[in-house]
Amino acid sequence: PGPASRMSVFNAPASTLAVASQISNLEFAVEDQYGNGIPAAQVSFGVVSGGGVVSTAMTTTNMQGRASPGTW
């Protein structure tokens, strides 16, 4: 794979959740310009607005180029 060029949602929970619910199966794909997953890429997560906390603020992508913020 080439250098990382995009990060997109790979897996997301239902679009509607109850207030104060935890989101746990959110996963992102880090890919090069050809759509190949980038393994071992450093990824950081943070909440910009709306409140909440991610359980994993910094992680590394797996062999398929996917990363998760844990629970949110």
Side-chain angles (χ1 to χ4, degrees):
S5 65
R6 67 178 167 239
M7 183 172 168
S8 59
V9 175
F10 179 78
N11 185 36
S15 60
T16 304
L17 296 168
V19 173
S21 294
Q22 283 190 345
I23 299 171
S24 60
N25 57 346
L26 186 59
E27 190 175 32
F28 294 87
V30 178
E31 301 170 329
D32 67 10
Q33 65 181 345
Y34 305 107
N36 299 309
I38 307 293
Q42 292 290 316
V43 179
S44 60
F45 297 102
V47 178
V48 177
S49 66
V53 176
V54 293
S55 64
T56 305
M58 180 77 79
T59 191
T60 303
T61 57
N62 64 17
M63 293 303 294
Q64 291 77 37
R66 297 183 192 130
S68 173
T71 56
W72 174 13

